[in-house]
Amino acid sequence: MTFLHTSLLAAGLACIAIPIIIHLLMNRRRKPVMWGAMRFLQEAFRRTRRRLLLEKYLLLAARCLLVALVALALARPLVGALGASGSQGRTFYLLIDNSLASGATDDAGRSALDRHKAAAREALGALSADGGDRVAVIALGAPAEALVLPPAHDPGAVAAVIDAIAPTAARADFAGAMALVAGSLRPEGAAPSTDAAAPPRADRAVVLMLSDFLEGSADLGPDSGAPGASFAGVRLPRGVTLIASEPAARGVSNVSVVGVEPLRSVVLGGAQPGEARAGEQVRVSLRRSGPGIDAPLATTVRALLAAPGSADSAAAESRTVVRWNPGQETATTAIALPPTPAAMHGGGGAVITVSIDRDALSADNTWRRPVEVRDSLRVGVIAPTRFGRAGGVDRLDAAAWIRIALAPRAESAQSGGEIEVVNIEPASIDSARLAGMDAVFLPRPDLLAEGAWARVRLFVDNGGLAVVFPPPGVSVHLWGDAFAAAMQPGWTPARQAIELAPRGGAGARLVAPTGAPSARGSAPARLLSLIEGELEELLRPVGVWRALPIEGSAAQSGETLLALPDGSPALWAGPIGVREAAPADGALAADTSARGVLAYFAVALDLEWTDLPTKPLAVPLLNELALQGVGRARGASWAIAGARPNVGRRVAELARIHEPDQPPQSAEVVAIDAEGLAREAVRAAGLWASRDERGTRRALLAVNPDPVAGRAGAQPRDAVGAWLAGAVERADDTAAPGATSAVVWLPTGAAAPGGAEPRAIAAALRDALGAGAPRSPISLPLLACALAVALLEMLLARWASHASLVTSAAPAGGAPLATIGGAA
């Protein structure tokens, strides 16, 4: 037998000592005082001594039993049905929705999460009062988190856990929660029970789901009623009782920021020291949902560029207004950032913060995007230095064309450009020299030794950009072996160049692929996105006569920015560290935890190969490749709440950056595993700093609200019921998919947006569980027994006192004669 309140039991049992102490004090030995009639009393005491002792001990036992019964009743013993101590009570799994959608507020300013927590507390009290129940608590904010599991008997501790549940910016993970419940009911490796008399644990399990089941919380999907399709194939065993709060009858009108894409992730400073550069353009994507979607609306969008964690309320911000038409769900607008303050120049991280007007669901009204603020980029050109005058245009080598394209103003002695070009000799490559570069261009890769390739690989691993060109004047390209071994791009350059067109003719044309998918998936924009609108026009006059193509599956490990006439990559960009996947499919898998970008141009910048260096495309092509490539190479700067951020292998931990008006979160530091992934999911939106093993900050990471979780439209009860019914195994899984008999709904009054009375929730829960379920209400009988013992103690005390009042005939004085114990 166990007790619900063991502390009350211990205190009550200790109180049994009170009547014992009183008994001992009343029976202390006293010094006898002899007087004349003493011997007659002693003789009477000897005759009645045994009876008096029996009376005293009976009275003491009654008083101790009374205190023990009261203590047992207050401690609420947990026994099985019908008082059998070997039986089990029910096990309740409370699934509480703390996803982003649970932050929606009603007219009174009360959030849905507050209502869910209040309902859970009242349900907890109602369930625990029956005596034999255990309770588990699972928070649904993705990924689902087991707050109390295995189930516990202590309702006080469980209530404290419920009160501490905080909202998240992630979607609701019903599938993960059901997996936790299924794992608790059917532990892995547990042997099946052979006791036919004992019911399966599933028969006494109740899953109580508290959610409004808005579109952002419950993704019903097209096959929501199919068995096992609702929760990623997770099925609860037959016999589990599903109880759910009524879905919200009406959603909330919500406008969400679902994406912020700066045209460049590296913001460059002004041309002169102390000058504020004009703001960069930012593309903002919005979406609205809920009942207000059919009405016109105006939304103010604000953009701010500031240092991370800055509390400067006077910082300049840009504004624009988005006007919605009736029925319009999505909108995209461009907004220019305020001029970059001169104080931010010189290198460092900054954060673009885009916000909109507050609405009923304010958690998705802000989106953060870290960027780097730099005076200029340092780009190294690894090629032999040529002394003397270069002569005519036809005498310029590939390295010279690259320098001219990257810094076209350098020849006119103008300083302060966006890109600073540094010449590096192939024989003098070292890690310290490369560490000061943002990108390197390699027009002569045939001059690099194996050790130099290893240092270039380390440079890219640390977040650098490397752009490789085939060397002109080489008939057999043996350098490709060392290049592929060190960089591991998932492909190798061909050994010999191919002729695309006769020399002296118009030359073959390069092609700009349209809608080519990126293997990186999470990359928000293509490297040449700023010039894509003009790319077709700029490519028209460019001719190509020779190329060194890629051999291998380059399309599966990166993206093709420009293509040769046969569709093979002419300009490829992607990650390094690509390895062979399972031998069964022979596919290539990119090591996405690696930072850095490798780009390969299959055409040498030599007039024997192409006339691109002399065409207008050369300058914007190489500039955008450098500017956007450096931003991409720094690694992912943002992640979605509910995921494990991928920050790279050289990061040891993520540390939270506290921002003004941000509520405190439980996790302040998140460790990073050997693959570069956070060891735990980050569920709340905010800013983080990645730090290496020495504690040095490497980069900023913004965790933003899940765009899917912000959909605030209501869903029909029948559709939600069919979706939930698929979580429980049925005797006949071929039954109609829409059957909802497996779900018991709490009445509408218990799940109303305004909340419900505690008694209504408790009564609704008892009705849902059914009145015929076996219970163990023995606290009340114990109190009744204590009352009976108290009456018995009164009678025993009266009997043991030997006191009576007898009234006889009055003597001469007229006063009645009182007798004690029957003697005159």
Side-chain angles (χ1 to χ4, degrees):
M1 178 185 295
T2 58
F3 296 88
L4 198 59
H5 301 295
T6 54
S7 57
L8 288 179
L9 176 66
L13 294 180
C15 291
I16 296 178
I18 295 177
I20 298 176
I21 293 173
I22 294 176
H23 171 80
L24 295 176
L25 291 176
M26 296 298 295
N27 286 274
R28 289 180 302 173
R29 286 184 170 272
R30 295 176 175 83
K31 182 179 180 180
V33 177
M34 303 301 294
W35 53 291
M38 185 71 176
R39 66 187 184 91
F40 301 106
L41 292 177
Q42 290 178 343
E43 183 179 351
F45 175 75
R46 281 194 296 268
R47 290 198 305 266
T48 61
R49 182 174 182 274
R50 303 182 74 179
R51 189 185 69 176
L52 293 176
L53 288 176
L54 178 62
E55 292 173 351
K56 286 195 298 184
Y57 287 129
L58 285 176
L59 186 60
L60 177 62
R63 290 168 176 168
C64 292
L65 180 60
L66 174 62
V67 175
L69 287 174
V70 173
L72 289 172
L74 293 178
R76 292 157 69 179
L78 301 176
V79 298
L82 304 178
S85 61
S87 301
Q88 290 184 348
R90 288 184 179 271
T91 301
F92 292 88
Y93 296 89
L94 299 181
L95 275 54
I96 301 176
D97 185 359
N98 66 331
S99 65
L100 186 145
S102 71
T105 56
D106 54 21
D107 296 337
R110 190 184 191 193
S111 70
L113 177 59
D114 291 337
R115 290 190 283 107
H116 301 333
K117 290 161 62 173
R121 287 191 298 268
E122 300 304 334
L124 178 66
L127 300 175
S128 299
D130 293 334
D133 301 330
R134 298 181 301 161
V135 183
V137 179
I138 299 174
L140 292 177
E145 183 179 11
L147 302 179
V148 179
L149 196 69
H153 285 297
D154 190 350
V158 174
V161 171
I162 292 174
D163 291 336
I165 295 178
T168 68
R171 68 184 70 182
D173 182 18
F174 281 93
M178 290 300 179
L180 292 173
V181 175
S184 175
L185 293 175
R186 293 181 294 201
E188 184 177 354
S193 175
T194 57
D195 186 3
R201 292 185 58 187
D203 290 346
R204 308 196 57 74
V206 179
V207 178
L208 175 58
M209 291 165 283
L210 298 172
S211 172
D212 284 347
F213 298 101
L214 298 179
E215 293 175 345
S217 295
D219 184 9
L220 304 187
D223 301 324
S224 59
S230 304
F231 303 96
V234 177
R235 308 293 302 280
L236 300 180
R238 288 193 298 271
V240 174
T241 301
L242 287 183
I243 302 178
S245 56
E246 286 272 4
R250 179 179 174 84
V252 296
S253 298
N254 181 47
V255 179
S256 308
V257 183
V258 297
V260 172
E261 184 58 41
L263 297 186
R264 287 177 179 167
S265 55
V266 177
V267 178
L268 298 179
Q272 301 297 332
E275 177 185 345
R277 179 186 173 90
E280 298 282 348
Q281 289 284 328
V282 175
R283 185 169 57 245
V284 181
S285 300
L286 306 177
R287 183 180 59 209
R288 65 172 179 165
S289 57
I293 194 173
D294 295 327
L297 183 68
T299 302
T300 302
V301 181
R302 293 173 289 273
L304 174 70
L305 179 65
S310 173
D312 185 8
S313 59
E317 66 177 16
S318 300
R319 296 192 179 198
T320 188
V321 176
V322 175
R323 302 193 182 278
W324 302 82
N325 296 320
Q328 182 182 355
E329 295 185 14
T330 61
T332 302
T333 185
I335 184 172
L337 293 174
T340 307
M344 285 190 181
H345 298 172
V351 180
I352 299 173
T353 303
V354 175
S355 60
I356 58 176
D357 304 324
R358 286 181 63 91
D359 50 25
L361 185 54
S362 59
D364 58 359
N365 293 158
T366 302
W367 191 282
R368 301 169 181 86
R369 180 65 186 267
V371 294
E372 285 194 66
V373 179
R374 306 285 296 275
D375 284 336
S376 63
L377 296 182
R378 287 174 57 85
V379 177
V381 178
I382 303 177
T385 303
R386 297 180 62 180
F387 299 96
R389 297 181 61 87
V393 171
D394 58 340
R395 301 292 301 275
L396 294 176
D397 61 2
W401 287 118
I402 292 174
R403 297 187 194 100
I404 293 173
L406 292 177
R409 295 189 295 173
E411 296 299 328
S412 58
Q414 297 184 27
S415 61
E418 294 181 342
I419 297 178
E420 178 186 352
V421 179
V422 179
N423 298 323
I424 301 176
E425 289 288 336
S428 63
I429 296 179
D430 55 37
S431 299
R433 191 175 182 90
L434 292 178
M437 301 295 150
D438 298 299
V440 292
F441 281 66
L442 295 91
R444 293 297 307 272
D446 56 319
L447 301 181
L448 269 66
E450 291 186 6
W453 280 118
R455 288 186 281 273
V456 173
R457 166 64 188 264
L458 180 62
F459 166 75
V460 177
D461 277 339
N462 285 331
L465 166 69
V467 184
V468 180
F469 300 83
V474 177
S475 57
V476 180
H477 295 264
L478 300 178
W479 59 272
D481 296 338
F483 160 80
M487 307 302 289
Q488 296 180 319
W491 48 266
T492 57
R495 288 297 182 94
Q496 291 184 335
I498 60 174
E499 300 294 333
L500 300 177
R503 189 70 178 93
R509 297 287 182 260
L510 297 179
V511 180
T514 57
S518 169
R520 291 174 69 105
S522 61
R526 293 162 55 86
L527 292 182
L528 305 181
S529 59
L530 283 183
I531 62 173
E532 278 183 340
E534 305 171 351
L535 193 54
E536 184 177 353
E537 186 69 22
L538 292 173
L539 283 172
R540 188 171 292 119
V542 176
V544 178
W545 294 278
R546 188 180 300 171
L548 187 69
I550 287 174
E551 293 181 348
S553 302
Q556 298 186 24
S557 58
E559 60 180 322
T560 299
L561 304 176
L562 296 176
L564 296 173
D566 61 356
S568 61
L571 178 56
W572 175 95
I576 61 174
V578 176
R579 59 186 181 276
E580 290 289 341
D585 54 14
L588 293 174
D591 185 1
T592 55
S593 66
R595 302 170 72 207
V597 170
L598 172 68
Y600 174 74
F601 205 161
V603 181
L605 292 186
D606 185 86
L607 296 181
E608 294 292 328
W609 289 56
T610 177
D611 59 0
L612 172 63
T614 64
K615 302 301 180 182
L617 176 61
V619 172
L621 177 65
L622 295 188
N623 273 263
E624 285 306 305
L625 189 60
L627 294 172
Q628 297 283 49
V630 168
R632 172 84 65 85
R634 298 307 186 196
S637 61
W638 61 277
I640 293 297
R644 295 169 57 197
N646 190 336
V647 293
R649 293 180 174 178
R650 299 185 182 275
V651 175
E653 63 183 14
L654 286 173
R656 181 180 297 278
I657 298 176
H658 294 280
E659 300 177 86
D661 303 327
Q662 185 185 44
Q665 303 293 334
S666 57
E668 295 294 329
V669 176
V670 176
I672 306 300
D673 63 16
E675 297 299 322
L677 290 172
R679 294 188 180 275
E680 60 184 270
V682 179
R683 299 177 174 87
L687 280 176
W688 297 75
S690 59
R691 301 189 300 206
D692 57 20
E693 295 179 351
R694 295 173 296 180
T696 304
R697 177 186 291 186
R698 294 179 61 88
L700 295 175
L701 176 74
V703 178
N704 290 307
D706 190 336
V708 175
R711 296 180 296 171
Q715 304 192 95
R717 166 178 160 167
D718 291 342
V720 175
W723 178 69
L724 293 175
V728 180
E729 294 177 351
R730 299 192 290 269
D732 182 12
D733 277 339
T734 63
T740 61
S741 58
V743 182
V744 179
W745 298 104
L746 288 179
T748 306
E757 293 294 332
R759 293 181 181 179
I761 295 176
L765 196 56
R766 292 192 186 96
D767 292 342
L769 293 175
R775 305 293 184 189
S776 307
I778 67 170
S779 295
L780 214 58
L782 285 176
L783 289 176
C785 292
L787 180 60
V789 172
L791 294 175
L792 177 63
E793 190 273 342
M794 291 177 60
L795 295 176
L796 287 175
R798 178 72 177 176
W799 174 57
S801 66
H802 300 283
S804 62
L805 183 61
V806 180
T807 303
S808 59
L817 180 64
T819 61
I820 300 177

